[in-house]
Amino acid sequence: MLFDTHVHLNADQFDEDVTETIERAKEKGVTEMVVVGFDEKTINRAMELVESYSHLYAAIGWHPVDAIDMTEEHLRWIEELASHPKVVALGEMGLDYHWDKSPKEVQKEVFRKQIYLAKKINLPIIIHNRDADQDIVDILKAEGADQVGGIMHCFGGSLEIARMCLDLNFHISFGGPVTFKNAKRPKEVVKEIPLEKLLIETDCPYLAPHPFRGKRNEPAYVKLIAEQIAELREMNYQELANQTRINAKKLFGIT
Ligand code: NI
């Protein structure tokens, strides 16, 4: 049984075949998934999906690339929706220095406000980090994010950064890149994460694992990611699948 902790089944790419996609995942043993919404449209669609499928859960937040568009009303709306029993985390949120649509200072402010909200309503947070390792760690520390903890989503950083995040009560989640032939760092780092802090995800429709790299990703492929990680850690696949599922259920408070 597998828990895919980060899917975007709410993306346009799944408009035509979301039911079939969820069915294919089931056939591969995917028993739970978290649908992540990060703006008005994707949050609304995530809520529709979790109402329709009993094994889907939602995370809702505001993406750093679009930080400049987030208003106080959006934040209040997210807070209201978060009381829904199937909303299990806030996010994705964080910093993205690759794209320059939103200035860094605006991104930081929007990130801080969401951490503050997560602490207020006691939900874990899902972190998006692109080219912003140190600023992410500094903000998590300064804002006391260890109080709620959460997930470093699709982790691609160094072991040093991973250890700082573990110290801050965060889980480390790996996705498709850990299967790429040229992805040296994630392959090394994934071996060093304590098993009880390890999570798996597809981030579909993005970042499809080998041998589907460049194609549309889907939750069924989380099995390929789990198999690769089990092999790298030289451990039994079933044990890896079960423990990452237990970790996710515990973090998200799913019984
Ligand atoms: Ni994502």
Side-chain angles (χ1 to χ4, degrees):
M1 292 192 278
L2 295 156
F3 194 133
D4 189 344
T5 62
H6 198 113
V7 302
H8 298 285
L9 289 174
N10 47 350
D12 295 344
Q13 286 92 328
F14 294 110
D15 276 355
E16 304 295 314
D17 63 347
V18 75
T19 307
E20 295 87 336
T21 304
I22 290 169
E23 200 45 50
R24 281 194 296 275
K26 223 171 214 172
E27 284 162 17
K28 295 290 182 188
V30 181
T31 45
E32 294 89 6
M33 331 176 196
V34 172
V35 184
V36 181
F38 50 71
D39 59 17
E40 265 186 71
K41 186 179 168 199
T42 58
I43 288 172
N44 278 321
R45 180 68 181 138
M47 297 310 292
E48 279 173 20
L49 287 168
V50 303
E51 294 279 1
S52 308
Y53 299 90
S54 61
H55 66 305
L56 301 194
Y57 298 86
I60 57 174
W62 208 265
H63 203 283
V65 169
D66 302 316
I68 197 150
D69 301 325
M70 194 192 81
T71 64
E72 289 301 320
E73 288 75 57
H74 286 131
L75 201 59
R76 277 195 291 274
W77 175 61
I78 288 169
E79 180 174 357
E80 273 165 36
L81 282 180
S83 65
H84 190 291
K86 295 196 87 179
V87 174
V88 294
L90 288 193
E92 55 193 287
M93 63 176 80
L95 301 173
D96 191 317
Y97 293 167
H98 181 74
W99 305 103
D100 59 6
K101 179 183 166 187
S102 300
K104 286 183 182 178
E105 284 314 310
V106 176
Q107 291 193 32
K108 287 180 184 176
E109 192 53 30
V110 164
F111 185 21
R112 285 192 205 101
K113 282 179 178 168
Q114 292 183 84
I115 298 171
Y116 181 85
L117 175 58
K119 285 165 61 186
K120 182 178 164 192
I121 61 179
N122 196 30
L123 279 181
I125 57 180
I126 298 178
I127 307 297
H128 172 102
N129 167 19
R130 194 157 180 199
D131 305 335
D133 287 347
Q134 195 59 54
D135 284 359
I136 292 266
V137 169
D138 289 347
I139 290 177
L140 291 176
K141 217 177 262 182
E143 299 301 318
D146 59 327
Q147 197 182 307
V148 288
I151 303 176
M152 305 306 295
H153 133 69
C154 203
F155 191 77
S158 66
L159 183 56
E160 193 191 355
I161 293 290
R163 287 194 171 127
M164 289 181 201
C165 297
L166 289 166
D167 285 344
L168 286 163
N169 190 26
F170 275 75
H171 288 66
I172 312 290
S173 182
F174 291 86
V178 80
T179 69
F180 297 168
K181 288 200 157 56
N182 57 352
K184 262 188 160 168
R185 194 156 74 173
K187 286 185 198 292
E188 287 301 316
V189 175
V190 77
K191 292 192 275 187
E192 307 297 328
I193 306 302
L195 184 56
E196 68 278 10
K197 289 289 185 178
L198 188 65
L199 296 171
I200 51 175
E201 64 172 73
T202 53
D203 198 19
C204 64
Y206 318 107
L207 294 168
H210 177 78
F212 301 107
R213 192 172 180 178
K215 306 251 166 55
R216 185 184 75 167
N217 197 1
E218 61 174 72
Y221 299 165
V222 78
K223 184 160 192 268
L224 298 167
I225 295 163
E227 285 170 349
Q228 172 71 89
I229 295 174
E231 192 188 320
L232 289 163
R233 292 176 66 106
E234 297 177 27
M235 64 182 288
N236 178 273
Y237 165 76
Q238 271 320 327
E239 192 195 341
L240 186 277
N242 287 336
Q243 189 59 49
T244 50
R245 178 167 177 258
I246 289 167
N247 296 345
K249 290 182 73 171
K250 189 173 167 206
L251 175 68
F252 294 127
I254 297 169
T255 47

